[in-house]
Amino acid sequence: MRAGTHAPREQALRSDRRATLVVAALALALLAALLVHGRAWAFLCDDAYISFRYAENLAERGSLEFNPGLTPPERVEGYSNLLWVLLLAGGQRLGLSPPTLAPWLTTASSLAGLALVTLLVRALRQRFGASPRWSPLDLSAALWLAALPEYAVWSQGGLETSFALAWTLAAMLAWTRDRPIVAAAAAALAGLTRQDSLLPIAGFGLAWILVLGTPSIRAQGPRRALQAIPWRRLAVALAVFVAPLLAQLLWRRHYYGAWLPNTWAIKAYGALLRDSHGLPYLAAWVAGLGGAWLWALAPLAALVRARHLLLVAPAALVLAYAWSVGGDFMAYSRFLLVATTLTAALVGWLARDAYDLLRVKTSGWRRVAASLLVTLAVAALVAGTARRARARWRVDMATTEGWLDGRYEGARAMDRFARIRVHAGAWMRENLPQETWITVGAAGALPYASGLRIIDAYGLVDPVVATTTKPHVGPRARPGHQLHASRAYLLSRDPDLLCHVGIVGRRRPGPADATRRGFRTGYAWACVDPGPASDSREPGGAFDPGYYCCLRPRGREVGPFR
C-alpha cells in the first residue's frame, strides 16, 4: 500500500528531472547559438570609444574628463553610462584596455539576458499559479531572441546596452520573487548604467501595483492590505535604490556643474524629429521583429490578460521614450532592446499558457496535436526569423559605408567607420605632439586612438555648443547629430587640424575639395597615410583605407606637416 502510494510521486519526480535536464541541455545549446550568431556581427562602433576615452583618462589620470590636463579643467559629461565607464576604467587598471574588455562584457550581458528573461517569464507564470515544471517551451523567448538581429547585434558593439538590459531584467525578476532589496540594488545599477533604464523598471512597478495591488485592496480592504505590506523591507529597499542614484546626482552637480549630463542636452533635440525619425524608427523595429512571421503567433493574442500588462507596460514606455527622442541612427533598434526582450518574453509567456491550456482542455490524440501546434508555431517564428537574419546579415556585410534603407547605419559600416579612425588615430598618436588640438565630427574612435585634444563639432563633449547652437531639423538631420558648431566658434578655439571637414579615400584631396568645404584660402591639406594593417576580415587579409586628411592653417607646423 505504502509502495503503491509513493510510486506515482517518484515517477512524477523522475519525469520532472528528465524535463529539467532536457531544458538545461537546450539552454546550453541556445547560449552557444547566440555566441555564434553574435560573432557574425562582430563590430565596435564609434560611440563606444567615447566611453573608452573617459575610462582611460580615469584609469591613467584620475579624471573623468574628455580633455584632461587643461587649466582651468574642461569638464563635460559626454557619457550617460557611469557604471560602464567605471568598469572599463577598472579593467584598464588591470591591464585590459576598453576595446578588449567591452566586447566580452557585452557578450556576457547578452547571455545573461537570455537566462534572465527565461527566469522572469517562469517566475511571472508561477506568480499567477502556473505549474513550476520545466518545459522546452519555457525557452521560447530566449530562442527567438537568439535568432533575432535586434538582440544578437547588441551582444557586440562595445556599448553598455546589453549590460543595462541585464540589470533591468534582474530587477524585475528579483521583485517578482519577493526580494525587494535585491530588486532595488539591481534597479540602481541599471540606472547607473543608463538612466533611461529606470523607465521600464518604473513601468513594471506601476503595472505591478495595478495588476496585483488593486485586487488585493479589493479583497482585503485598504486597511488590511496596507497592514500586510512589509514596510520595513520596502524602506530598506528604497534606501538601497535611492542612495547611489542620489549620490551620482550630487556628484555630477559638484564635478560637472550640471544636474543632467551633456548627452541629454544633445539628445533632447530629437523631440523635433519625432515624426520624421521617431515614427519610422518604431516601424523599423516592428518590421525587424519578424514582419509576416510574427503573424504565426497572432492567435495567442486571444490569451492576453491583465497580468500580461507587467510586460506590456514597460515595453510601451520604452517605445514612447524612443519616439520622444526621435529614435536613433544605428540599425537594429538599439534604444528598443528592452522592448524587444519584453516582447519576446510576452510571446514566450503566451505560448506556454496556450500549451498548458490545450493540454487541460483536450485529451488523447487531440492533446498531442494541440501541443504540437503551439510548438510548431513557435518554431515557425524562430525559423523565419533566422532565415531573415541571414538575409539581413548579407545585406549589412555588403554595405561597408552609407545607410541601410537610406536611414540607418549597419554593423559593418559602423565597424569600418571606427576602424578607419582607429587606424588614423594611432598614426597621429605616434607622430603629432600631444598638445595638438583637432576638430572632429565623431568624438569616438579618432580621439581615443590619437589621445589628442579635441574640439567636438557636434557638441557632445564640448562645454559650449549644446547651449549656444540651434538644432538642425531638415531632411539631413539625424538624432544625436543635430547640433553643428559654427565655423566662427570652431576657429575661435584655434585648432591645429580641422578634421571634422576631413576626407577619407584613396587619393589626396586638392584645393577644390577645401573650397567645397568652405575654406577657400589660408588652409592646406594634412594627410595621414598609415598604410595597411593586418585584418583577416578584409580581402587579401589587409585593411588599408588610404588617406585620412584634415585641413591645416597655412604656415602652421603640426608635427611632420609643414
Side-chain angles (χ1 to χ4, degrees):
M1 184 71 173
R2 186 175 300 170
T5 302
H6 288 294
R9 182 182 300 175
E10 292 174 356
Q11 185 176 0
L13 289 174
R14 285 196 298 269
S15 178
D16 287 347
R17 282 195 293 268
R18 284 196 298 269
T20 302
L21 288 173
V22 169
V23 171
L26 290 174
L28 290 175
L30 182 57
L31 295 177
L34 177 62
L35 286 174
V36 173
H37 188 195
R39 187 60 187 167
W41 300 90
F43 74 106
L44 280 175
C45 72
D46 188 82
D47 279 16
Y49 286 90
I50 299 172
S51 299
F52 295 173
R53 172 145 166 158
Y54 276 104
E56 183 182 76
N57 287 337
L58 177 60
E60 303 297 333
R61 301 172 181 86
S63 63
L64 271 171
E65 301 167 14
F66 200 76
N67 289 319
L70 301 182
T71 304
E74 185 179 271
R75 291 179 175 172
V76 184
E77 190 177 4
Y79 58 91
S80 55
N81 50 4
L82 177 61
L83 182 58
W84 186 249
V85 171
L86 294 177
L87 278 175
L88 295 178
Q92 177 86 17
R93 295 288 293 176
L94 295 173
L96 291 172
S97 69
T100 299
L101 178 59
W104 286 98
L105 290 177
T106 57
T107 299
S109 298
S110 291
L111 294 172
L114 292 188
L116 288 165
V117 75
T118 301
L119 294 174
L120 176 61
V121 173
R122 177 177 168 81
L124 287 170
R125 292 185 67 253
Q126 288 182 267
R127 188 86 191 195
F128 292 95
S131 168
R133 184 179 181 183
W134 281 99
S135 163
L137 275 176
D138 289 326
L139 300 176
S140 298
L143 185 61
W144 186 25
L145 289 171
L148 194 62
E150 275 69 17
Y151 189 89
V153 166
W154 303 116
S155 68
Q156 310 294 315
L159 295 167
E160 75 288 345
T161 314
S162 60
F163 188 70
L165 168 72
W167 286 119
T168 301
L169 294 175
M172 295 177 180
L173 175 61
W175 185 267
T176 304
R177 289 180 168 177
D178 290 325
R179 297 176 182 174
I181 297 175
V182 175
L189 291 171
L192 290 173
T193 304
R194 284 193 64 89
Q195 290 184 339
D196 53 19
S197 297
L198 299 178
L199 276 175
I201 292 172
F204 183 81
L206 292 173
W208 188 277
I209 293 172
L210 183 62
V211 173
L212 291 166
T214 303
S216 177
I217 292 173
R218 288 176 180 173
Q220 302 180 52
R223 184 172 181 178
R224 292 187 62 186
L226 290 174
Q227 289 175 344
I229 295 175
W231 291 108
R232 182 173 297 179
R233 279 205 305 161
L234 289 182
V236 173
L238 181 62
V240 169
F241 172 68
V242 170
L245 296 176
L246 180 61
Q248 181 199 15
L249 184 66
L250 295 176
W251 172 81
R252 174 188 291 135
R253 176 64 177 173
H254 170 74
Y255 193 79
Y256 292 112
W259 292 109
L260 293 172
N262 198 54
T263 50
W264 174 248
I266 300 296
K267 189 177 296 183
Y269 290 115
L272 301 173
L273 304 178
R274 289 171 177 173
D275 294 334
S276 59
H277 290 72
L279 291 177
Y281 189 69
L282 299 187
W285 174 72
V286 173
L289 289 191
W293 288 103
L294 201 55
W295 291 105
L297 298 180
L300 294 179
L303 297 178
V304 173
R305 298 293 184 268
R307 60 180 177 271
H308 298 118
L309 187 65
L310 293 166
L311 298 179
V312 173
L317 273 180
V318 172
L319 293 172
Y321 171 74
W323 165 79
S324 73
V325 297
D328 189 24
F329 69 93
M330 297 184 189
Y332 311 110
S333 308
R334 173 175 63 116
F335 285 173
L336 300 177
L337 182 61
V338 173
T340 298
T341 306
L342 295 180
T343 300
L346 178 62
V347 169
W349 190 351
L350 293 174
R352 183 62 200 274
D353 282 354
Y355 179 83
D356 290 347
L357 179 64
L358 290 172
R359 289 184 65 83
V360 170
K361 296 291 185 180
T362 58
S363 61
W365 69 267
R366 290 185 179 86
R367 172 185 289 185
V368 175
S371 301
L372 184 61
L373 181 63
V374 175
T375 304
L376 288 176
V378 173
L381 174 64
V382 174
T385 299
R387 183 176 179 180
R388 290 181 69 246
R390 178 68 176 174
R392 295 170 71 188
W393 176 83
R394 287 174 176 166
V395 172
D396 190 301
M397 294 301 109
T399 310
T400 56
E401 57 185 32
W403 308 94
L404 298 175
D405 301 325
R407 189 181 289 270
Y408 304 111
E409 193 171 20
R412 176 69 166 160
M414 284 189 280
D415 186 58
R416 186 174 179 81
F417 182 92
R419 282 192 295 139
I420 289 173
R421 282 146 185 82
V422 167
H423 202 41
W427 185 95
M428 290 180 173
R429 185 182 286 266
E430 293 293 327
N431 294 276
L432 298 183
Q434 196 172 31
E435 63 273 11
T436 301
W437 282 91
I438 66 174
T439 66
V440 297
L446 185 67
Y448 175 80
S450 69
L452 302 178
R453 295 172 176 177
I454 301 301
I455 305 168
D456 180 11
Y458 289 153
L460 183 69
V461 297
D462 187 273
V464 174
V465 173
T467 57
T468 61
T469 308
K470 292 184 178 180
H472 287 250
V473 295
R476 300 185 66 181
R478 285 191 298 155
H481 296 76
Q482 293 169 259
L483 299 183
H484 298 170
S486 68
R487 172 177 170 174
Y489 170 72
L490 294 175
L491 295 183
S492 73
R493 299 287 303 272
D494 193 28
D496 298 297
L497 295 175
L498 296 167
C499 297
H500 75 289
V501 291
I503 289 179
V504 178
R506 304 301 304 175
R507 68 172 184 86
R508 288 178 177 268
D513 298 296
T515 299
R516 281 194 290 270
R517 280 157 174 75
F519 294 86
R520 293 177 179 273
T521 58
Y523 290 88
W525 288 106
C527 290
V528 171
D529 183 16
S534 177
D535 191 329
S536 59
R537 292 175 294 180
E538 294 290 330
F543 174 66
D544 186 6
Y547 297 106
Y548 188 94
C549 300
C550 308
L551 284 170
R552 170 182 59 87
R554 290 188 182 275
R556 180 177 300 186
E557 180 178 327
V558 185
F561 302 121
R562 295 175 173 81

